[in-house]
Amino acid sequence: MTSPAASEPSPSTRGRRPIVLPEDADARLRELDLSVETLHASIRVGDTARRRVTGGNYPVTYPGVVMWAETLAALRSKLPESEGWRIGRSGNYETVYSPSLKIGITVVAGDEDTGQEKPSRGPRLKRSRGPKTSQRVRRNFNPDQMMLDLEALGFTADVDRLPEDEDCQTWFLVVHPTDDDVRIEFSLPTDMSGDGNVSEWSERILVEALMVSGVLAPKLPNEDDDDEGDSNLVRRRG
C-alpha cells in the first residue's frame, strides 16, 4: 500500500473526524498497515519484560525504561522489513518507520486522558520533551519546517533532504497505565506548547484498553537534549 508524502493530507484522513473511536480503530489502523492486535501484542511484550526487572536490586526507574524499549522492539519485529518497515534512530530518536507510507512511530507515556474520547485537547505527555520531539511535531504540521531547521543550523541550501526516517509524519503510540489496564491511543501530534508538551493532535485513534494489572509506563532513557524535564514515570500499585 502506498501513501502520499507527509506534506499532503492522506486521502484516508481528508474529512475524517479528529477522533477515531475504539470500534473503528482497527479499520483505520489497517489503512496505515497496522492493527489493534499488533499494538496490543507489542505492549504485552513490554509489560512482560518489565516484570522480570521489577524489585530486587534493580533501580526503581529501570522497569519503565525496559517497558519502553521492549515495546518498541516488539513493534519493530511485528512490522518487519520484508513488509517495508525500517528501524529509525536518526539523531538517537528511536522509531520504526515506513518509507512508502511516509509514517514513523515512537512510543510515549501519556496522562489519564490517554484513550479517552471527551477531552477536547487530547492527552498530555507524562513529561515535557526537548527539541528533537518539537522538530518532529512541527514537521507533522508543516513539512517545510525542515528547511528552516537546516538554515538555523548553518546548512547551505543544497542540503534539501532529511534522513529517510525523519522524512515522514511521526505518530505517537501513547500509553497510560492504571492498576487494571493500559489505556492506548495511536495519534498524530501537530503542535507543542511552551512547556515542551503536545498541545494539539490532528488525529487520535483510540484503541481498546489492554487489560493487564500493575503495568509501568514506558520511560525513555536520556535522548541527548530531548530528555529535559524528565520525571519519574514508574507506577507501582499501592
Side-chain angles (χ1 to χ4, degrees), residues 6 8-9 13 18 120-123 125 133-143 145 168-172 174 185-193 197-204:
E8 300 175 0
T13 61
S120 58
R121 63 166 173 78
L125 304 185
T133 298
S134 180
Q135 287 173 1
R136 298 263 183 155
V137 171
R138 289 202 306 272
R139 291 185 198 122
N140 285 346
F141 177 75
N142 177 19
Q145 182 67 40
C168 59
Q169 292 182 325
T170 302
W171 290 70
F172 287 1
V174 191
E185 61 181 78
F186 188 76
S187 300
L188 183 66
T190 50
D191 200 9
M192 301 282 288
S193 57
N197 213 309
V198 175
S199 59
E200 184 175 337
W201 308 83
S202 67
E203 183 175 1
R204 298 175 58 215

Side-chain angles (χ1 to χ4, degrees), residues 156-228:
T156 58
D158 61 346
V159 180
D160 59 359
R161 288 195 63 82
L162 286 167
E164 188 177 63
D165 62 326
E166 293 189 47
D167 186 22
C168 59
Q169 292 182 325
T170 302
W171 290 70
F172 287 1
L173 174 56
V174 191
V175 301
H176 173 75
T178 72
D179 288 341
D180 301 310
D181 61 17
V182 183
R183 298 175 186 171
I184 309 165
E185 61 181 78
F186 188 76
S187 300
L188 183 66
T190 50
D191 200 9
M192 301 282 288
S193 57
D195 63 358
N197 213 309
V198 175
S199 59
E200 184 175 337
W201 308 83
S202 67
E203 183 175 1
R204 298 175 58 215
I205 305 172
L206 310 185
V207 178
E208 182 181 359
L210 181 63
M211 304 305 294
V212 292
S213 62
V215 71
L216 301 181
K219 181 186 185 301
L220 280 67
N222 289 342
E223 297 176 317
D224 297 332
D225 295 331
D226 206 41
D227 205 38
E228 298 171 356

Side-chain angles (χ1 to χ4, degrees), residues 67-87:
M67 185 181 176
W68 164 77
E70 295 290 346
T71 299
L72 180 58
L75 190 61
R76 285 169 168 171
S77 70
K78 294 177 187 302
L79 299 173
E81 185 174 352
S82 62
E83 297 180 9
W85 292 91
R86 306 284 187 271
I87 292 174

